[in-house]
Every structure is written in C-alpha cells, then in structure tokens.
C-alpha cells in the first residue's frame, strides 16, 4: 500500500471518528429534557391519591408535558414555608435534593400547613421567608424560572386547616410575594374551589383533584394561547359548520374541515392583531387523524409565507406539539401537503417562548 493511500485511509478514519463523536454529542444534547422541580407539602407529595407515582399532580404534569420535560416530585408531607413552622421545608432533605437537581423550572406550592394556628402565629414572617426561598432557587447555577402556585382551596376543615385562613389570608400573601419577586402566579386555589367531590378528607385531593391541579399548572407553564378566538382563514371549507374559526375557539369538540375532495395543499392560518413572537404550536387532530405531511409557515403581510425551519412532519395524530426558534410575525399557517382524506383540525394553539 502506498504512503499516499495510507494517509488517505488514516484521514478518512479520523474524520469518521470525529463525525461520530459530534453526532453523538449533538444527539445527547438534543435529548436533554427541561427539568421541573415541584416544591411543596403533602399535596405536592400526593397524599390521598390512589398511587402517588402516577396520580400525584407532578406525575400527571409529566404526562401532560411529555418527553421533552423531566418532572420531579420534591413534596414533603407536613412541611411549611415558614422557617418558624413546626416542619420547615428548609430543614428537609428534599430542599437539598431539589437544589442539587439544578432545575430549569421551580414550582412552589407551600402554605397549606402554614395556615395551622400553631404555625400561622408567625404569619408576619411568611412574606420574607417566601421571598428568601425564591432568592435561594434563583441563585442556582441553572438560573431556573420560578412559578408560585397558590394553595388549593380547602373543601372542609381538617387537621386545623381551614379555607378561611388558606384562601382568605395565605393566598393573598402568596400573590403579594409573586408580584414583588416578578414570578408568574398559577392560581390553583381558584381552580379547585367549589369541587368538594375531588377531595378525600377536605384538604387532600383525590385523583380527580390532582388532575385538576396538574392541568392548571400545565396551563400556567404554557402561558396564554395566542391564537384563541383570533381571526382564522383556510384554503377551503367543508361548510359553515366547519370553518377556520372552529379550530381557534379553544374547544376540541368543534373543528375545521377542508372542502369535499380536497386532500392536498390545504392550509389553516391564524392572524394576530399585530406582530407577535411565538415559538410553539400545538395542533390537535383529535377527530380524524388524516394528515400525512405538513409544515408550519409564517407571514408578515398574510400574502407571502415562509417555511419555519424544523417544523415539517409526516403525521399529527391526536395532538402534536411543534417547537422552534422564536418567530415574530402577524400570521402563522399550518400547511398540509398531503392527507389520506379530507383534512380536519380540531384545534391549533400558538404559544410564546
């Protein structure tokens, strides 16, 4: 073998090894999930559920968020936000573990046990202690975003916990802290009022109650649906019952359908009032799963559309979440290249970064 051929083979082998390492590294990086730490008491832990590993709100939230997220339950039964409480979260191993986890998102839901008379006598320290906890998690090297959950409503008094104190006194202080620290509020309290059937003992939710909490937290993490009830247009419409507006009304039981016989090059577009930044679109094809290839596009003027990189796919199924680098535009369009039959979309939701 000539020296030139040996050098060529050596170069080729080295290039292949380097390329394999690069691909492996990129694949690992792409698979890294967003880490979510759920901080709280027994309601976060999942007390009262039939199986806390699958029915506690963090477990249900994991299912809702999907594989791009990793949700960990750091709830400790009986724990308090107050440092002077009878079981401060600050002194629990979960406090250390949740910090070492270096989460990207921290969801704090503490305050129910603080409402007990023995703990609430220190209520003047609640705001300062809560702000200190937020400061602690913000100081982590992962620089997480902090969400404040209001404490769930109390269906009936138990364990010295009453709704008068939780809803009337604790919740206003939680909202005060969130506002002072610039944290989003997820109003679990409002979401759980007036549903005593979803509690096991008046304080701890049942499986159904935990699902309500998880859904409210999920909505809080997603932010507002930017396309809700906005103006919609479509390439064609089956009838006045299946217009583009039906896919933007927030109700999966209604839908847009293309005209009879139209199975390719169909589209559904939403118009914002002004240029809007968005980076995630959720398409729900719940009724009939017919789309076989699609892509997302954006437009400034509603006439010329540009493909959004990395958003094409071959199927949507019951629901598909499509994420991409933030785009600022006035219009976004789901372009359906092909479908096995007349395409129909139940909902198209658009979210910010």
């Amino acid at each position: 073998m000539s020296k030139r051929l040996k050098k060529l083979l050596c170069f080729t082998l080295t290039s292949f090894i380097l390329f394999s390492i690069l691909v492996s590294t990129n694949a690992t990086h792409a698979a890294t999930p967003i880490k979510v730490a759920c901080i709280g008491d027994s309601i976060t832990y999942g007390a009262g559920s039939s199986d806390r590993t699958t029915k506690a709100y963090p477990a249900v939230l994991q299912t809702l968020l999907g594989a791009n997220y990793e949700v960990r339950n750091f709830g400790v039964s009986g724990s308090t936000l107050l440092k002077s409480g009878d079981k401060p979260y600050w002194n629990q191993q979960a406090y250390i573990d949740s910090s070492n986890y270096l989460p990207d998102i921290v969801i704090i839901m503490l305050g129910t046990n603080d409402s007990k008379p023995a703990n609430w006598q220190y209520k003047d320290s609640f705001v300062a202690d809560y702000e200190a906890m937020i400061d602690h998690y913000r100081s982590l090297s992962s620089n997480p975003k902090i969400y404040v959950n209001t404490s769930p409503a109390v269906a009936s008094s138990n364990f010295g916990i009453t709704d008068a104190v939780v809803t009337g006194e604790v919740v206003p202080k939680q909202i005060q802290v969130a506002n002072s620290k610039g944290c989003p509020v997820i109003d679990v309290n409002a979401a759980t009022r007036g549903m005593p059937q979803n509690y096991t003992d008046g304080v701890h939710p049942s499986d159904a109650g935990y699902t309500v909490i998880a859904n409210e937290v999920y909505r809080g993490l997603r932010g507002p649906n930017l396309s809700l009830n906005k103006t919609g247009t479509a390439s064609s419409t089956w009838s006045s019952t299946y217009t583009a507006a039906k896919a933007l009304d927030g109700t999966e039981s209604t839908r847009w359908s293309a005209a009879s016989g139209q199975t390719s090059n169909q589209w559904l577009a939403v118009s914002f009032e002004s240029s809007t930044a968005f980076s995630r679109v959720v398409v729900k094809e719940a009724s009939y799963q017919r789309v076989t290839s699609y892509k997302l596009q954006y437009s400034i003027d509603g006439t010329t559309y540009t493909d959004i990189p990395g958003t094409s796919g071959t199927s949507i199924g019951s629901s598909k979440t499509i994420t991409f680098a933030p785009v600022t535009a006035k219009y976004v369009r789901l372009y359906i290249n092909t479908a096995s039959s007349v395409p129909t979309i139940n909902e198209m939701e658009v979210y910010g970064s």
Side-chain angles (χ1 to χ4, degrees):
M1 184 182 296
S2 67
K3 289 184 178 180
R4 184 176 180 181
L5 182 57
K6 286 182 178 179
K7 287 182 179 180
L8 180 60
L9 288 173
C10 183
F11 175 78
T12 302
L13 179 59
T14 302
S15 299
F16 175 76
I17 293 172
L18 290 174
F19 175 76
S20 299
I21 293 173
L22 178 61
V23 169
S24 176
T25 301
N26 286 340
T28 301
H29 176 73
T32 301
I34 297 170
K35 298 193 290 185
V36 181
C38 297
I39 311 302
D41 48 36
S42 58
I43 299 177
T44 296
Y45 179 81
S49 66
S50 61
D51 179 3
R52 64 173 295 269
T53 62
T54 59
K55 301 299 184 181
Y57 105 74
V60 180
L61 180 63
Q62 174 69 81
T63 300
L64 292 171
L65 289 173
N68 290 333
Y69 290 79
E70 179 183 87
V71 182
R72 294 249 185 122
N73 187 336
F74 293 101
V76 178
S77 295
S79 60
T80 66
L81 185 285
L82 284 162
K83 293 179 179 179
S84 298
D86 56 4
K87 190 176 181 179
Y89 190 84
W90 305 82
N91 300 341
Q92 308 308 310
Q93 183 62 41
Y95 175 70
I96 298 172
D97 292 342
S98 62
S99 302
N100 292 338
Y101 180 51
L102 295 179
D104 302 296
I105 295 172
V106 175
I107 305 168
I108 304 175
M109 191 166 73
L110 286 166
T112 298
N113 291 312
D114 297 82
S115 71
K116 297 175 182 177
N119 296 322
W120 202 234
Q121 63 178 314
Y122 305 112
K123 62 183 178 182
D124 289 344
S125 299
F126 187 83
V127 169
D129 288 353
Y130 209 133
E131 290 177 340
M133 180 166 286
I134 290 173
D135 289 341
H136 164 73
Y137 284 108
R138 276 184 173 165
S139 71
L140 299 177
S141 60
S142 57
N143 190 30
K145 183 170 185 177
I146 315 297
Y147 289 80
V148 171
N149 278 8
T150 58
S151 294
V154 178
S156 60
S157 301
N158 205 350
F159 312 109
I161 299 170
T162 66
D163 193 62
V165 177
V166 171
T167 299
E169 299 183 45
V170 175
V171 169
K173 288 184 181 293
Q174 292 170 330
I175 295 174
Q176 176 187 342
V177 169
N179 290 336
S180 67
K181 303 301 290 184
C183 297
V185 175
I186 300 176
D187 199 352
V188 172
N189 184 271
T192 53
R193 289 178 201 158
M195 48 182 67
Q197 72 278 10
N198 288 343
Y199 286 81
T200 58
D201 54 18
V203 173
H204 296 99
S206 61
D207 291 351
Y210 282 121
T211 298
V212 170
I213 294 174
N215 279 317
E216 189 64 23
V217 174
Y218 178 57
R219 282 190 288 269
L221 293 180
R222 289 193 312 177
N225 175 9
L226 303 174
S227 64
L228 183 63
N229 294 324
K230 293 297 190 297
T231 301
T233 55
S235 52
S236 64
T237 302
W238 184 281
S239 72
S240 60
T241 304
Y242 304 108
T243 63
K246 299 297 185 180
L248 306 173
D249 61 2
T251 304
E252 287 189 41
S253 60
T254 61
R255 64 185 186 272
W256 160 76
S257 288
S260 176
Q262 302 299 315
T263 60
S264 61
N265 300 318
Q266 298 298 293
W267 51 263
L268 172 66
V270 57
S271 170
F272 307 113
E273 285 84 358
S274 58
S275 292
T276 301
F278 53 92
S279 62
R280 184 160 36 105
V281 172
V282 179
V283 182
K284 298 179 180 179
E285 197 187 12
S287 300
Y288 304 97
Q289 298 172 25
R290 298 168 171 174
V291 175
T292 53
S293 64
Y294 67 89
K295 59 186 174 182
L296 289 179
Q297 300 174 314
Y298 71 91
S299 176
I300 304 300
D301 57 10
T303 300
T304 302
Y305 279 85
T306 302
D307 294 350
I308 300 176
T311 64
S312 60
T314 56
S315 65
I316 292 173
S318 60
S319 180
K320 173 78 73 174
T321 299
I322 310 164
T323 58
F324 43 88
V327 171
T328 298
K330 192 175 179 180
Y331 302 85
V332 59
R333 183 167 77 174
L334 171 68
Y335 194 91
I336 301 168
N337 298 300
T338 57
S340 60
S341 185
V342 174
T344 178
I345 302 297
N346 292 68
E347 281 296 306
M348 185 167 79
E349 304 168 352
V350 182
Y351 298 95
S353 300

